[in-house]
Amino acid sequence: MSIESEIARRRTFGIISHPDAGKTTLTEKLLLFGGSIRSAGAVKSNKIRKSATSDFMEIEKQRGISVATSVMSFEYSGQLINILDTPGHKDFAEDTYRTLTAVDSVILVVDSAKGVEAQTERLMSVCRMRNTPVIIFVNKLDREGLPPFELMDELEDKLQIAVRPLTWPIGMGQSFQGVYNLHDRNVYLFQPGKTVVEDDRLLIEELEDPSLDAELGSAAVQLREEIELVDGIYDEFDVGEYLAGNLAPVFFGSALNNFGVRELLETFVRIAPPPAPRESDARLIEPDESKFSGFVFKIHANLDPRHRDRIAFLRVCSGVFEKDKPFRHVRQRKDVRFSRPYSFMAERKNVIDQAFPGDVVGLYDRGDLKIGDTLTEGESFMFRGIPSFAPEIFKELVSTDPMRSKQLEKGINQLTEEGVAQLFIQDRGRRKIIGAVGELQFEVIQYRLTNEYGAACRLQPLAYSKAVWITSNDPAAVKEFLKYRDRQIAHDKDENPVYLAESEWMLQSMIRDNPELKFHFTSEFKTSGAA
Ligand code: G4P
């Protein structure tokens, strides 16, 4: 098969939701359709449950599961579909943001009873930043939830995107009877308890068909009225608007009962985009360029305590990735080769010889790769769009045993390279400040520093509330600003100066009083919105 047809048949998407909306269940059903797994229960949830075991143990378990579920591939209708999983927990939002840089589209799962939840809104704002095409699946229609018209309004308002239903529910909860397919203009009736994949659903082709009244009773009349309203309210679905990230098609169903999932999948394979070009600091990189390029968006380290191995997840952006072929590690200005690159199918890892744009490859690495690294076939450019976001909670890392400060140094360097949190340095390296978005990240750091690196430390809370990067067209202005603000200035790992604000008010007044400076809320200065 030519590289063009390999690219054309790939669909790489991220699945996102607020925890418990049904992301794992839906993923599993999609894999069942693809024949990639045979039984339910094969996909483990990556969420952290509050339970009798301590959070640390849960985090460890979750890390193991995350590797297995990070990427799951299956074939459907001639397409090769890569699902990239994301942690639902808000404290690991950065991990999700980075994964979203490696996808070409997104499926967003919403719980019909809960509507749009906080985490969903945040994730959607990241999709909007990149104009990522989004399909919405409203789940758990077998439970009592919000009325569908209300849900549609809420999706549009809170997610700030135009919506267009492509299926419509017939009742909900106890009275859930199926979905009307607005595209094909037919009805599939729900048979509770049927969770099999085979097409054994009752199909009624015409909304006017009298057998619909026989099946549904008064619900048939209501359905006809609702569909008339839907047709009146919403414009025709426009694929171009979906691909531009302006319009989200909406599906209703029940992942657990496997209802509405096939409609979702069939539309997905019809409309979801193949691998898109990606911005680099030199030029736009097209997937069908003959030379390979890709970037690292995620790293998992020390899964096996006996080895110091890490798995780096690389998204192939152009050309063909090949086993044992020397590639350019642009940041380190050296050639690297990989003898055991992995692809990820659910339930197993396979060593692969080749990978194509849209694919995600797992690379074993001994510490050379970090998040955002670009590999090429010789050319020097770095992919953009893998920024660090301004953290909001800060703690000073204090060594409690000078004899073990080497372990601490190594541990914190590796963990921050893995993207667990961000490290800021003050006082020429003597003071280390860790910035994160959630408390759980600190728990992970403390636990892993102690258990994986044998370090001894404590984390002391600091009163900062935001770290923003500072630049200016006038280098003297930056120098002047840094001079008198010892305690508010730190440097990130690449030695970029960062202003640590104690409050939003302080930050806003700094921005107002220093018009010659630019304050950035993500580390990616050229494309980020400066304040
Ligand atoms: P997540 O990955 O988004 O966090 O959600 P997950 O799929 O784990 O689903 C969360 C809970 O919701 C699970 O129940 C799951 O069985 C249930 N669920 C998913 N889809 C549906 C649906 O369509 N209808 C109904 N009624 N429930 C659904 P749990 O009790 O938390 O876990 P489990 O013990 O059943 O696995």
Side-chain angles (χ1 to χ4, degrees):
M1 206 182 278
S2 70
I3 172 168
E4 286 78 16
S5 33
E6 289 287 2
I7 296 169
R9 77 187 194 102
R10 274 168 172 72
R11 300 288 180 276
T12 301
F13 77 96
I15 185 156
I16 58 179
S17 76
H18 193 91
D20 271 341
K23 181 169 64 77
T24 311
T25 313
L26 179 63
T27 305
E28 189 166 271
K29 292 293 146 51
L30 294 172
L31 293 172
L32 279 169
F33 273 116
S36 178
I37 54 170
R38 249 162 261 122
S39 59
V43 180
K44 297 279 178 295
S45 169
N46 73 6
K47 82 187 136 203
I48 295 168
R49 290 172 196 270
K50 290 269 176 211
S51 61
T53 51
S54 78
D55 270 348
F56 312 135
M57 294 310 292
E58 278 300 310
I59 289 161
E60 280 307 282
K61 241 194 298 167
Q62 192 258 337
R63 284 206 309 134
I65 292 166
S66 292
V67 169
T69 62
S70 282
V71 189
M72 289 163 281
S73 307
F74 68 99
E75 294 205 32
Y76 189 79
S77 203
Q79 292 187 356
L80 199 152
I81 301 171
N82 297 312
I83 309 181
L84 272 56
D85 189 24
T86 55
H89 198 290
K90 70 172 176 29
D91 285 8
F92 298 111
E94 275 215 63
D95 202 13
T96 300
Y97 299 157
R98 285 190 295 257
T99 298
L100 291 180
T101 64
V103 304
D104 299 301
S105 69
V106 155
I107 292 182
L108 173 67
V109 187
V110 173
D111 183 328
S112 67
K114 303 214 171 107
V116 175
E117 296 171 86
Q119 185 62 1
T120 327
E121 269 181 76
R122 235 169 280 138
L123 293 170
M124 187 64 200
S125 65
V126 177
C127 294
R128 264 201 317 273
M129 259 161 62
R130 302 171 192 286
N131 302 321
T132 309
V134 175
I135 297 180
I136 299 172
F137 183 75
V138 180
N139 191 27
K140 305 198 188 179
L141 264 290
D142 59 318
R143 292 232 181 118
E144 290 307 324
L146 302 170
F149 282 110
E150 205 175 295
L151 262 167
M152 293 300 291
D153 287 347
E154 182 170 326
L155 291 172
E156 194 154 73
D157 276 3
K158 292 201 174 161
L159 300 178
Q160 292 172 44
I161 189 163
V163 289
R164 172 72 168 95
L166 292 190
T167 61
W168 194 257
I170 307 167
M172 70 165 48
Q174 293 272 316
S175 65
F176 180 52
Q177 302 204 50
V179 289
Y180 178 67
N181 186 329
L182 285 145
H183 181 268
D184 296 338
R185 298 272 154 191
N186 55 29
V187 175
Y188 278 107
L189 293 181
F190 175 61
Q191 292 164 301
K194 289 264 173 151
T195 58
V196 284
V197 170
E198 287 82 50
D199 216 345
D200 61 351
R201 291 162 297 177
L202 189 55
L203 173 69
I204 294 174
E205 297 273 355
E206 287 290 326
L207 205 49
E208 297 310 322
D209 191 333
S211 61
L212 192 67
D213 300 88
E215 284 290 339
L216 298 181
S218 62
V221 179
Q222 193 184 339
L223 175 67
R224 290 187 190 109
E225 281 170 14
E226 287 188 1
I227 296 307
E228 204 178 313
L229 262 177
V230 167
D231 285 341
I233 297 172
Y234 298 101
D235 293 335
E236 271 294 294
F237 175 64
D238 179 338
V239 181
E241 283 294 288
Y242 155 73
L243 292 173
N246 299 327
L247 175 69
V250 178
F251 291 83
F252 290 87
S254 164
L256 189 65
N257 294 291
N258 203 8
F259 218 83
V261 179
R262 186 187 287 274
E263 288 78 1
L264 168 77
L265 182 56
E266 273 164 11
T267 305
F268 176 86
V269 293
R270 215 174 50 233
I271 65 171
R278 290 221 147 29
E279 285 286 349
S280 79
D281 58 2
R283 60 189 178 82
L284 193 68
I285 310 297
E286 298 285 347
D288 59 358
E289 292 184 16
S290 62
K291 294 218 164 137
F292 159 77
S293 67
F295 66 88
V296 175
F297 62 94
K298 179 177 181 133
I299 288 185
H300 271 281
N302 304 345
L303 280 163
D304 178 350
R306 289 164 303 175
H307 300 106
R308 281 273 171 235
D309 277 354
R310 327 205 265 185
I311 304 178
F313 292 79
L314 175 106
R315 149 100 194 197
V316 180
C317 297
S318 69
V320 186
F321 174 93
E322 282 174 76
K323 184 169 101 143
D324 287 322
K325 190 168 178 176
F327 290 125
R328 191 76 180 155
H329 186 318
V330 177
R331 180 177 55 85
Q332 291 194 338
R333 295 198 189 95
K334 68 174 190 187
D335 286 347
V336 285
R337 61 179 83 214
F338 301 92
S339 55
R340 294 179 66 74
Y342 281 99
S343 77
F344 302 85
M345 296 297 277
E347 297 182 297
R348 60 181 191 275
K349 285 201 295 254
N350 300 325
V351 175
I352 46 145
D353 294 321
Q354 286 189 321
F356 297 92
D359 286 342
V360 172
V361 184
L363 303 173
Y364 274 108
D365 163 55
R366 295 210 158 253
D368 283 335
L369 293 171
K370 66 179 190 182
I371 287 167
D373 273 344
T374 297
L375 298 181
T376 71
E377 224 172 301
E379 204 178 328
S380 279
F381 61 77
M382 293 290 279
F383 281 103
R384 307 187 57 75
I386 313 120
S388 301
F389 290 86
E392 289 169 5
I393 313 177
F394 299 85
K395 294 193 181 183
E396 182 175 351
L397 183 65
V398 183
S399 169
T400 50
D401 181 354
M403 302 293 285
R404 286 192 272 167
S405 54
K406 258 212 173 110
Q407 285 91 325
L408 185 63
E409 185 90 10
K410 181 171 174 194
I412 198 61
N413 275 323
Q414 289 199 354
L415 291 183
T416 48
E417 262 165 33
E418 201 187 310
V420 178
Q422 293 178 54
L423 180 65
F424 301 101
I425 309 284
Q426 275 185 333
D427 244 0
R428 288 182 204 82
R430 280 193 287 276
R431 192 165 188 237
K432 290 188 173 60
I433 296 175
I434 296 172
V437 283
E439 279 293 337
L440 258 184
Q441 284 173 277
F442 291 108
E443 289 185 29
V444 173
I445 287 179
Q446 176 109 42
Y447 176 80
R448 293 185 59 190
L449 281 174
T450 315
N451 287 276
E452 287 167 28
Y453 296 92
C457 62
R458 68 188 158 78
L459 288 160
Q460 190 164 302
L462 297 171
Y464 305 120
S465 65
K466 197 93 175 181
V468 290
W469 286 264
I470 317 159
T471 61
S472 172
N473 295 332
D474 173 11
V478 179
K479 223 171 158 184
E480 187 63 24
F481 184 78
L482 303 188
K483 206 160 141 191
Y484 302 107
R485 292 191 176 77
D486 276 8
R487 286 277 131 178
Q488 272 96 42
I489 299 296
H491 287 83
D492 72 5
K493 289 182 74 177
D494 301 317
E495 297 186 19
N496 298 305
V498 171
Y499 169 65
L500 301 171
E502 272 143 13
S503 65
E504 185 59 31
W505 182 85
M506 283 290 285
L507 177 60
Q508 290 311 325
S509 61
M510 276 303 154
I511 294 172
R512 210 178 36 243
D513 297 345
N514 295 279
E516 68 290 3
L517 298 181
K518 292 194 183 105
F519 294 82
H520 307 268
F521 291 89
T522 83
S523 64
E524 198 166 70
F525 308 137
K526 285 183 206 156
T527 51
S528 74

